[in-house]
Amino acid sequence: MTLDDLTVPLRALRLLAVDFPHLPAPDVDVSPLYPERLRLSFHDTTGESLAAFEQWRTVLRIAPDAVDSRTQSDGHTRVLAAEGSFAGAVVVLTAFADQPVTDPVSAGQAGGVR
């Protein structure tokens, strides 16, 4: 495989950079394993990645009901994922953000030892 075989996702990335330069910068992944796919991901601990995901989802016209929402790492990380298309490429959006964990003791929900 050559770089030319990745033309579709690279062209999509170039067009996204030109058309939407104001959007938050994602982590970008293009791989010869999936030569038609452009992966854009967002990672943070403050939840800003979820807002960035929504901005990108909106400009890519991915329907809200197409978003998969789940948690991983024993519920400590929230994950949003969706797929759409742009300029002939499959665009995979993923966002990861820390999920607040409620401590039952500090929330007053556990019986204390006296």
Side-chain angles (χ1 to χ4, degrees), residues 60-93:
L60 292 170
R61 297 183 177 149
I62 299 172
D65 62 353
V67 176
D68 176 40
S69 178
R70 65 185 192 285
T71 60
Q72 65 184 34
S73 302
D74 291 328
H76 293 261
T77 303
R78 183 165 180 205
V79 181
L80 298 179
E83 285 189 14
S85 62
F86 185 81
V90 174
V91 180
V92 179
L93 291 179

Side-chain angles (χ1 to χ4, degrees), residues 17-52:
V18 169
D19 292 348
F20 306 107
H22 61 283
L23 289 179
D27 291 332
V28 176
D29 180 41
V30 175
S31 171
L33 297 175
Y34 302 100
E36 300 296 316
R37 186 177 294 177
L38 172 63
R39 296 181 53 88
L40 307 176
S41 59
F42 307 89
H43 306 262
D44 72 39
T45 59
T46 65
E48 290 178 21
S49 63
L50 304 180

Side-chain angles (χ1 to χ4, degrees), residues 8-24:
V8 171
L10 292 173
R11 180 179 46 240
L13 179 61
R14 180 176 51 92
L15 291 171
L16 288 169
V18 169
D19 292 348
F20 306 107
H22 61 283
L23 289 179

